[in-house]
Amino acid sequence: MLWACILFPQLAMDGVLRHRADADSPLALLAGPAQRRVLQAVNPAARAIGLRPGQSLIAAQALSQDFATADYNPVEIEHWQQLLAACAYGFSSQVSLHYPRCLLMEVHSCLSLFGPWPRFEARLREELSALGFRHRITVAPNPAAARILANVHNGLVITDADALRQALDRLPVQHLGFSREAATAFSRMGLRNLARILAQPRDSLSRRFPAEVLVQLDRLLGIRPLALDFHRPPDVFEQRIELNFDVKSHQALLFPLRRLTADLAAYLAGRDSGVQRFVLHLEHRAMADSQVQVGLLRAERDASMLFELTRDRLEQLQLPAPVLAVRLAARDLPRFAPERRQLFDERPQQSLPWEQLRERLRARLGDEAVHGLSACADHRPERAWSTQSSIPQPISPLRPGWLLAQPQPLREASLHILAGPERIESGWWDGDDVRRDYYVIQTRSGQRGWAFRELGSQGPLMLHGWFA
Amino acid sequence: MSAVVALDRLLDSRHVWRGQAISSPSSTQSTGHTELDSALPGGGWPGSALSEILVATSGIGELRLLWPTLARLTSAGERVVLVGTPHIPCPQAWLAAGVDLRQLMIVRATGRDALWATEQCLRSGSCGAVVCWPMQADDRALRRLQVAAETGKTLAFAYRPLDEAVNASPAALRLTLDARELRILKCRGGLAPARPIATPALVAGGGH
């Protein structure tokens, strides 16, 4: 077993920053009661103007006025952890959120699929950076050691017990994951690193320190296993982005929308499923949400495609009121089957596969706008066609190429009847009784049509189609 | 030899304009009508280009003109898209003409949306042929379709009313069809034959 620990040192800050287009302007996260707001975290730009975590808001405002603030929200942080776990689940089936702000994943079993560790690591880092989270990654033979090494290292890979012992021996006692009291006691006793602690007799340690200290020591060395709760991805995707001002235009919604669809795609890749139906909720003040329903004909999970389709549908929507928050909910997550492609494509310049083109057309023209055509076994012409694609029917008697949606009376005087009558009498059982004599007619200008007269009526011929 | 020198000098002094070699249509696709094929310069529809079919009215063989092409493309597994059809295509007749309906897709759209959909289909390169019925299409819209057909290397057909024959068009091929005859108005890569083309299968009264 080989465990990777991915530590997110700035999880709360990154979670807020990724919703902001201006990530480089100063920003501070605030915590604490309303009377005494304290800066919980600051980004590098805020640090540059003198803000520090732990300052009170009043002290910070005395230093500078031009920084933005946001709430430090533990619920949000939990949400980001779940999202990151869902991404990691795409690589490994054993992913745990045992430690706060950090992911543990078993990587030895997935090396054969994702290549040697350097390539795997590069891919992990690329995906995490694309999601907008800063991170540190370490690998060790047991999860507790990986977590401890991530405190001081980034990119360190240790595969055997001897090397692990060497790396751990040098670590200062404050970073070993002991409680504050135990760490202080060790350093006052002069035991400043792990090597010095392990040099002590075990029974004297157990007499002087609580049991957790020995447990932690054993876990670091891999003697005692760490019981982990593994992450199981949720069955539905739901994510909400609160906008920091009232948005009245579509343009300003595109940035959060891009984030939402990218997160959805990452979640889907982790589950190895696609999405067929999802809803974008636009939340208003004191009004029901506006909803953008997106329905696809087959499961998809390409981030740019999902974004483009949602954008096309969003642009058709009239915003009734300013938007305060955007929420994306996807409940219908069927299996994803990648489209088979031919190795030697006959049309190499094919830039857009038909499935994507079809979704793009449907997004703009409406869900019903693109359909196939097939014949139905019914004698009545208006019921002999359907928009479903189906198996071909046997060839029937002569029919015109165009069928008029509504039969029109033919008021022309000089009509030639070329063929007919053909009696069509059907439908008495379903209340749509048809008793007609059909003729092939030719007008004076040379058009050939298909017209009928109701049985027993003396009115004009009704034109029902063109032999085009 | 002196004549050659004189010609060079003439060319150098830019008094003589030298015609560019006409890039003949790279590929053509047979129309399925022998008389029409022999009248067209490449022996068929210009490939990856827009062909305009100007029809006087409905019911004079405008679909019979195209059915052999569509039948050949769909049986070869190519997708054919119809955009903004004026009426409902009757599946029995299309089947009888040999069109494989599984490869036929219909896009319901009108006006600008129809032009947009046609351009998207052409540009994507995922269709064998795109047939559209634009209600009103100006010169610019047709040029866009022509460029899109070149980009996607797709056959494009536009059915337009006969009145449009007087207006110029960027289409590579323009045909007029009325109840009696088929004429070629313009064809890229050759002179349009002045006489009408007799196509017994097309004009009314012929076979179906």
Side-chain angles (χ1 to χ4, degrees):
Chain A
M1 299 269 260
L2 208 53
W3 290 85
C5 172
I6 309 174
L7 180 72
F8 302 100
Q10 303 273 346
L11 185 60
M13 180 57 80
D14 289 340
V16 175
L17 280 179
R18 69 199 298 271
H19 291 165
R20 293 177 177 249
D22 50 341
D24 294 330
S25 57
L27 174 74
L29 299 189
L30 302 179
Q35 294 81 12
R36 185 177 157 71
R37 304 291 274 165
V38 174
L39 270 60
Q40 182 80 24
V42 295
N43 69 347
R47 194 174 282 273
I49 58 172
L51 306 187
R52 296 283 178 274
Q55 270 175 343
S56 72
L57 178 59
I58 296 167
Q61 280 171 339
L63 281 173
S64 168
Q65 286 290 339
D66 18 313
F67 62 94
T69 60
D71 276 340
Y72 179 84
N73 188 348
V75 181
E76 281 278 290
I77 294 175
E78 174 57 26
H79 172 80
W80 297 126
Q81 293 195 16
Q82 291 296 331
L83 175 79
L84 290 164
C87 294
Y89 192 74
F91 293 102
S92 170
S93 60
Q94 299 182 27
V95 174
S96 176
L97 290 168
H98 182 78
Y99 297 110
R101 293 182 295 117
C102 120
L103 279 178
L104 288 172
M105 57 194 282
E106 204 286 311
V107 290
H108 193 255
S109 54
C110 30
L111 286 183
S112 55
L113 182 58
F114 294 102
W117 171 251
R119 196 191 305 162
F120 184 15
E121 182 188 6
R123 184 163 164 194
L124 266 178
R125 286 186 190 271
E126 189 185 327
E127 291 207 0
L128 291 171
S129 306
L131 286 172
F133 288 100
R134 279 166 285 175
H135 52 272
R136 295 212 293 266
I137 303 183
T138 50
V139 176
N142 71 71
R147 171 66 186 88
I148 294 306
L149 289 172
N151 280 337
V152 284
H153 293 285
N154 185 14
L156 182 71
V157 182
I158 290 173
T159 51
D160 60 279
D162 292 341
L164 175 66
R165 183 70 196 270
Q166 280 184 10
L168 288 176
D169 274 353
R170 289 190 302 263
L171 286 186
V173 71
Q174 285 81 10
H175 288 150
L176 287 175
F178 298 125
S179 64
R180 186 178 290 273
E181 295 81 35
T184 319
F186 274 131
S187 58
R188 285 190 183 150
M189 291 161 76
L191 306 174
R192 295 190 188 278
N193 59 28
L194 190 71
R196 306 279 286 274
I197 295 176
L198 290 175
Q200 306 305 315
R202 195 177 166 87
D203 55 344
S204 73
L205 282 181
S206 71
R207 232 177 302 131
R208 289 192 170 86
F209 289 97
E212 292 82 50
V213 170
L214 280 182
V215 170
Q216 171 71 1
L217 279 176
D218 290 350
R219 280 178 181 161
L220 282 179
L221 299 175
I223 302 167
R224 180 194 286 255
L226 176 63
L228 295 172
D229 278 339
F230 289 123
H231 168 79
R232 286 188 56 213
D235 288 335
V236 295
F237 177 87
E238 183 147 359
Q239 193 167 323
R240 183 168 179 274
I241 292 182
E242 197 156 327
L243 307 166
N244 32 10
F245 44 87
D246 290 5
V247 169
K248 299 192 189 71
S249 78
H250 293 116
Q251 279 301 320
L253 288 174
L254 293 185
F255 181 77
L257 179 63
R258 194 183 287 277
R259 273 288 185 209
L260 284 174
T261 48
D263 288 354
L264 175 61
Y267 166 81
L268 292 172
R271 269 182 66 103
D272 195 25
S273 59
V275 66
Q276 195 145 18
R277 193 162 294 284
F278 58 91
V279 189
L280 187 73
H281 295 265
L282 307 173
E283 298 178 10
H284 307 295
R285 202 188 303 279
M287 241 184 97
D289 298 356
S290 307
Q291 296 191 356
V292 181
Q293 303 267 357
V294 181
L296 311 174
L297 291 181
R298 59 186 289 275
E300 298 289 352
R301 70 165 180 230
D302 180 43
S304 58
M305 178 186 174
L306 293 176
F307 169 70
E308 194 183 319
L309 293 177
T310 320
R311 185 187 61 190
D312 284 354
R313 292 184 192 227
L314 181 65
E315 279 169 353
Q316 293 174 9
L317 185 79
Q318 287 279 336
L319 291 179
V323 180
L324 303 180
V326 191
R327 184 157 56 91
L328 198 156
R331 295 177 189 285
D332 188 10
L333 306 171
R335 267 189 72 231
F336 176 72
E339 182 67 12
R340 269 175 303 169
R341 296 270 172 80
Q342 286 184 355
L343 183 55
F344 300 104
D345 216 330
E346 288 174 1
R347 216 182 281 276
Q349 65 284 346
Q350 175 164 338
S351 50
L352 190 66
W354 165 248
E355 286 71 23
Q356 289 196 23
L357 170 66
R358 181 178 58 188
E359 297 301 349
R360 183 185 283 181
L361 294 174
R362 287 177 72 235
R364 167 141 167 193
L365 305 174
D367 284 348
E368 305 302 317
V370 185
H371 56 79
L373 179 71
S374 70
C376 301
D378 197 312
H379 290 291
R380 287 164 289 179
E382 48 271 71
R383 296 208 177 197
W385 63 280
S386 93
T387 56
Q388 309 296 324
S389 293
S390 70
I391 47 164
Q393 295 278 326
I395 290 177
S396 55
L398 174 66
R399 288 288 176 266
W402 287 135
L403 207 58
L404 303 193
Q406 286 296 326
Q408 297 167 0
L410 261 180
R411 304 217 177 269
E412 205 170 309
S414 57
L415 287 176
H416 277 297
I417 291 182
L418 302 179
E422 178 193 347
R423 170 77 49 91
I424 292 181
E425 183 164 356
S426 181
W428 50 266
W429 58 85
D430 60 7
D432 194 9
D433 195 2
V434 163
R435 298 170 78 201
R436 298 168 180 166
D437 283 336
Y438 274 90
Y439 300 90
V440 178
I441 54 109
Q442 182 162 18
T443 66
R444 192 163 30 174
S445 57
Q447 298 163 275
R448 288 201 304 151
W450 201 45
F452 68 85
R453 182 172 280 136
E454 290 279 355
L455 212 62
S457 102
Q458 295 302 316
L461 279 169
M462 301 291 283
L463 180 73
H464 204 179
W466 289 115
F467 286 94
Chain B
M1 286 301 284
S2 61
V4 175
V5 174
L7 188 56
D8 278 351
R9 199 174 296 146
L10 265 178
L11 285 173
D12 286 344
S13 60
R14 313 267 162 150
H15 289 311
V16 174
W17 177 75
R18 197 176 202 171
Q20 299 286 322
I22 296 170
S23 57
S24 61
S26 52
S27 63
T28 53
Q29 306 223 17
S30 164
T31 65
H33 303 283
T34 331
E35 300 85 351
L36 184 56
D37 276 354
S38 56
L40 288 173
W45 305 117
S48 18
L50 176 70
S51 303
E52 217 180 322
I53 303 168
L54 305 167
V55 289
T57 172
S58 293
I60 50 171
E62 69 269 24
L63 289 180
R64 263 169 283 153
L65 177 64
L66 223 47
W67 269 341
T69 314
L70 301 188
R72 182 170 50 77
L73 286 172
T74 51
S75 359
E78 295 263 25
R79 188 172 287 104
V80 169
V81 183
L82 312 180
V83 182
T85 54
H87 309 292
I88 303 159
C90 181
Q92 285 81 9
W94 289 67
L95 274 175
V99 179
D100 185 348
L101 295 185
R102 288 167 298 178
Q103 299 293 331
L104 190 72
M105 294 308 294
I106 298 170
V107 177
R108 280 188 215 162
T110 52
R112 296 179 58 80
D113 279 345
L115 289 169
W116 174 82
T118 312
E119 192 189 336
Q120 293 294 321
C121 293
L122 287 173
R123 209 174 276 283
S124 80
S126 59
C127 314
V130 181
V131 190
C132 70
W133 283 262
M135 285 299 139
Q136 66 276 5
D138 53 0
D139 179 61
R140 266 181 68 180
L142 291 174
R143 188 171 300 282
R144 285 190 72 111
L145 295 189
Q146 166 67 28
V147 171
E150 278 172 28
T151 315
K153 301 257 189 296
T154 308
L155 271 179
F157 298 99
Y159 280 100
R160 303 179 68 207
L162 195 53
D163 327 338
E164 301 283 350
V166 291
N167 300 329
S169 154
L173 173 68
R174 303 187 84 194
L175 302 174
T176 63
L177 181 69
D178 61 26
R180 277 165 286 279
E181 60 191 26
L182 175 70
R183 275 176 190 276
I184 299 177
L185 280 190
K186 165 190 175 184
C187 51
R188 195 184 283 175
L191 278 178
R195 57 181 179 78
I197 299 157
T199 49
L202 284 182
V203 292
H208 303 303

